[in-house]
Amino acid sequence: MKLQERDKQILQKVFMFMCLRCLQIAELFDMHIKICQRRLRALVKGDYLRKILIPTTESGRSPYLYYPGKSAEELFGIQGYKPRLTNQLSHQQKNTDLLIHLKKSADRAGIKCSLLPEHLIRISGQTLIPDGTLALTRESKSALFFLENCAGTEVIKSPNYNEDIENKLIRYAEIFQNNEIRFYCKFFEYNFQRFRLLYITNSGKRLDSISQIVKKHDSFGFIYMATKSAFLKNNIFAPIWSIPTKNEISASIIKER
DNA sequence: CTAGGGGTTCAATCGGAGGG
DNA sequence: CCCTCCGATTGAACCCCTAG
């Protein structure tokens, strides 16, 4: 097969996210789903990609998950990973969906959006791992955002203060106070002043209860919250964000002009 | 000959109806 | 209560045509 320029870009994205579904790739590249399927099939044939069937909870056929094959590893000189079918994976897939939504929304608005998914942060040895980070750039100015996608399974508050949401928020506040974002400045090649944390919840009820904890620990007002449905329904300018600390309920993360 | 597009078929899953 | 069947749904694969 002859590798197109777009094929290479697809492979890069697959490396970036570790693994992607056909629909995610089609959305990223504005491809017709069938065209996307066909290219992916060709890439699988050339062992640029490999695929596994992932179990799903939704109706319909289970989609394939594509991850780098040997040819792609040789082409880029990067090692790929075969995704393991764990709870972690479905959470990661949801994070990918959110990041792609942000990316496409920014594209439409003419704003540059660079992504840094979770697994790349993880292997860099950071102690606090967000579900993803992104940099929005407009006219030579960039802003850094962390993304937390609350699946609704984590404990909000556990007595041992370990790995619960409250503990994580405390650590975010520490990082904000000390402005420990050197890793991200280096990755995005921009000297960010501060960052914002975008906290996505899967229900309004959960948003309210976590807001209470945010108020307690975020004295700066850097934590923005929204429900997943509002987030996915609206564009990047939409005033859907609440900032618990400032008692704001319709903030925007970026101004329209 | 290759890439893109439309139509159709295949495969896998869920939920509900119905029977034992 | 459990099992099987069936339709609905969704993603992928297949076939054929067209344009360059």
Side-chain angles (χ1 to χ4, degrees):
Chain A
M1 70 169 294
K2 218 174 88 188
L3 211 58
Q4 305 171 350
E5 183 53 36
R6 191 183 55 190
D7 293 334
K8 290 186 191 172
Q9 289 175 23
I10 290 176
L11 295 177
Q12 279 178 338
K13 290 284 185 223
V14 174
F15 271 113
M16 181 179 190
F17 287 100
M18 195 148 81
C19 51
L20 286 172
R21 283 178 283 122
C22 177
L23 272 178
Q24 294 171 328
I25 295 171
E27 192 181 352
L28 271 173
F29 290 91
D30 285 322
M31 293 166 79
H32 191 283
I33 178 164
K34 286 179 151 183
I35 307 305
C36 188
Q37 287 175 344
R38 185 174 312 171
R39 287 317 298 171
L40 292 179
R41 213 177 312 143
L43 289 168
V44 168
K45 204 173 173 189
D47 200 24
Y48 287 99
L49 291 177
R50 291 175 188 172
K51 63 180 181 180
I52 50 169
L53 207 55
I54 49 174
T56 178
T57 51
E58 280 144 52
S59 70
R61 195 202 204 286
S62 299
Y64 284 109
L65 203 54
Y66 294 88
Y67 62 99
K70 203 165 171 123
S71 305
E73 290 182 341
E74 283 165 7
L75 183 65
F76 291 98
I78 316 173
Q79 197 203 338
Y81 297 94
K82 181 177 181 178
R84 283 169 306 184
L85 298 174
T86 57
N87 291 343
Q88 172 74 20
L89 180 68
S90 66
H91 185 236
Q92 184 193 323
Q93 279 290 298
K94 283 172 190 144
N95 297 337
T96 302
D97 285 335
L98 295 183
L99 287 175
I100 291 177
H101 172 76
L102 270 169
K103 167 85 177 151
K104 293 310 293 177
S105 185
D107 281 354
R108 281 191 292 274
I111 293 167
K112 187 167 173 277
C113 175
S114 312
L115 303 177
L116 175 57
E118 179 193 10
H119 79 105
L120 292 178
I121 305 169
R122 196 175 288 279
I123 59 177
S124 77
Q126 298 293 299
T127 49
L128 181 58
I129 318 282
D131 289 330
T133 55
L134 58 140
L136 295 179
T137 306
R138 184 165 58 185
E139 291 164 16
S140 80
K141 279 198 161 185
S142 287
L144 176 64
F145 295 92
F146 286 24
L147 190 72
E148 272 297 322
N149 175 25
C150 174
T153 49
E154 297 97 336
V155 200
I156 290 190
K157 195 172 174 178
S158 74
N160 59 7
Y161 254 70
N162 193 25
E163 284 312 314
D164 59 10
I165 288 173
E166 179 157 32
N167 184 43
K168 205 162 186 184
L169 289 176
I170 291 171
R171 286 160 72 197
Y172 269 119
E174 280 171 15
I175 285 188
F176 187 87
Q177 184 157 21
N178 301 330
N179 214 21
E180 295 168 24
I181 54 175
R182 275 185 55 194
F183 167 72
Y184 301 100
C185 289
K186 202 173 164 192
F187 180 87
F188 289 113
E189 296 175 340
Y190 187 87
N191 193 22
F192 298 110
Q193 297 302 304
R194 292 281 177 178
F195 69 92
R196 296 280 177 271
L197 172 61
L198 305 179
Y199 203 109
I200 315 284
T201 63
N202 58 349
S203 74
K205 203 174 155 193
R206 196 161 176 87
L207 190 146
D208 292 340
S209 51
I210 294 177
S211 289
Q212 297 308 313
I213 304 176
V214 167
K215 259 187 200 171
K216 220 163 87 189
H217 298 295
D218 171 21
S219 54
F220 311 98
F222 75 101
I223 301 182
Y224 288 44
M225 304 194 62
T227 60
K228 193 169 181 173
S229 59
F231 175 79
L232 289 177
K233 231 182 290 172
N234 290 281
N235 69 25
I236 197 163
F237 298 120
I240 56 168
W241 302 91
S242 70
I243 312 172
T245 305
K246 295 183 179 172
N247 285 321
E248 271 197 59
I249 54 164
S250 58
S252 304
I253 59 170
I254 186 165
K255 286 194 193 83
E256 197 162 1
R257 58 170 84 151

